Every structure is written in C-alpha cells, then in structure tokens.
Amino acid sequence: MQILEACKRDLTALAPKGYFFALHIRNASPLLQEKTFHGAWIRTYEREVYILRDPIVAWGYSHSGLTRWSAVDIPDPFDIFGQARAHGLAFGASAALGSMNSRSLVSIAHDRREFSDLEMGRFATIVRQLHDITSPPEALTLAQANALRRISEGERHAEAAAKLQISESALKARLKSARVALMARTTAEAVRRAQTYRLI
C-alpha cells in the first residue's frame, strides 16, 4: 500500500488538474478506481454517463500505450473534450495497458500546456507501477476463500467461525488478510472482488 500511495503522490505532482485511474477492469468493474479531477467535472461526467461515449475510453480499449488527448483521432460527438476544457482540463494524457480481462486505464490533466516527453515518460513509469502492484491475486489461500465464502452466504462472524471450527478472532484475521490481498477497504468489497475474479 505504501507504493500505491507513492504512485498517487507522483500522479498528483505530475497532473495539476488531477488524475483518474481504473485498474484491472474486468466485467466493467475495476479492482481499484480513483479520480481527483474537479468535482463539477466528475459530477457532469457521471450524470451524463460519459464513460459510455468518452473517446479516451474507446481509445483505451482499442490501443495500448500512451497518448496525449490532442493526438486522439476518435469522433467526439458529445464534445467531451470541449466540456473537459471548460472545467479546466485543457490538456491531458492517457495510458492503457493489460489484457482485456484485466485492463488498466489512467488519465492525467493539465490546465496550461501539453505534457512534455519527459513527463510522458514519468507517467508511463507510474502507470506500469500502478498496474503491477495492484494485480489481483491468482488465488486466495484456502482459509481466506472459506472465510469470504461464509460471509458471502450471509453468515455473521460467530456463525461463520463455528462452521469453520475456528475462533471468531481467527475468522477476523482471515478476513483481514483477504481484504489486504484484494486491496479492499471492507469485507463486503473483498467478497465482491473475490466473486468478480472468481476466487470464491
């Protein structure tokens, strides 16, 4: 998690108008997502469901690598780039990498100028780090999977622990280690991620 926080600090330093990342997208759901663009732009983007029409999202699923927004040659009939500029996101860059069943998309924005080649190189390094350090586990331990499975079936901690023939504190320790492995803040989020990645 320290490396993740360092990557986020690096993105903040690189992108004066904020960033967005959706890491390891599978079944239209990212393992980890964060956006620091201006709140008014985020609200507009979500209200209008621009993710379904965003040229950068289309680019990210049809290309791998880096691009400046000014180089994207995909129709923008809803003028999403123009609306982003009106919210201070005048220049930007995006990156896409990973397989189609674990795709990561990252964007950064600037209000005054294009990102330099040096900054694009730094961006590429940060994106690769983000993608690599957040790779979902191939499997959970049997203990983690069993604990999450019991909770996913609606059992309370005491009931789940009794069925697994362990103490409640041991169950909580297994759930905590599963949350760490899945980079989830809550057990419910860990259950969803484990189900999405077919680990339980």
Side-chain angles (χ1 to χ4, degrees):
M1 285 299 205
Q2 290 176 336
I3 298 173
L4 175 61
E5 292 306 315
C7 286
K8 287 159 60 171
R9 284 193 300 273
D10 289 346
L11 281 178
T12 298
L14 187 61
K17 294 307 277 186
Y19 63 81
F20 165 81
F21 62 70
L23 305 175
H24 298 283
I25 303 165
R26 184 178 290 178
N27 300 328
S29 178
L31 179 65
L32 197 61
Q33 176 177 289
E34 184 165 303
K35 43 197 155 200
T36 66
F37 294 143
H38 189 274
W41 172 238
I42 291 171
R43 286 189 295 278
T44 298
Y45 192 92
E46 291 175 349
R47 183 184 64 245
E48 300 298 328
V49 198
Y50 281 154
I51 194 163
L52 300 176
R53 301 172 273 194
D54 189 338
I56 289 298
V57 174
W59 176 88
Y61 276 100
S62 57
H63 297 79
S64 290
L66 297 176
T67 190
R68 291 178 178 89
W69 293 351
S70 60
V72 173
D73 189 23
I74 293 176
D76 184 14
F78 295 92
D79 193 31
I80 293 171
F81 284 137
Q83 291 183 61
R85 277 191 297 277
H87 285 87
L89 287 71
F91 302 93
S94 294
L97 73 158
S99 65
M100 284 301 150
N101 68 348
S102 195
R103 194 76 166 163
S104 290
L105 304 176
V106 185
S107 289
I108 54 176
H110 206 298
D111 56 339
R112 294 188 312 276
R113 60 174 176 78
E114 292 278 14
F115 288 97
S116 70
D117 289 347
L118 187 64
E119 290 168 325
M120 292 293 281
R122 181 69 187 125
F123 180 43
T125 300
I126 296 167
V127 170
R128 171 53 66 188
Q129 282 183 308
L130 280 170
H131 184 78
D132 290 347
I133 65 170
T134 58
S135 290
E138 295 294 319
L140 296 170
T141 67
L142 183 59
Q144 292 167 337
N146 285 340
L148 285 176
R149 198 172 288 112
R150 298 261 59 102
I151 299 302
S152 75
E153 292 172 1
E155 295 173 6
R156 296 189 181 280
H157 287 184
E159 181 184 6
K163 286 188 178 176
L164 292 171
Q165 299 179 336
I166 59 174
S167 68
E168 200 169 331
S169 62
L171 175 77
K172 289 178 181 178
R174 291 177 184 189
L175 292 172
K176 181 179 179 182
S177 68
R179 287 194 304 271
V180 169
L182 293 164
M183 291 194 297
R185 291 185 184 95
T186 66
T187 298
E189 186 177 15
V191 166
R192 282 193 304 275
R193 289 182 179 177
Q195 289 170 332
T196 297
Y197 285 91
R198 297 182 181 156
L199 300 175
I200 60 171

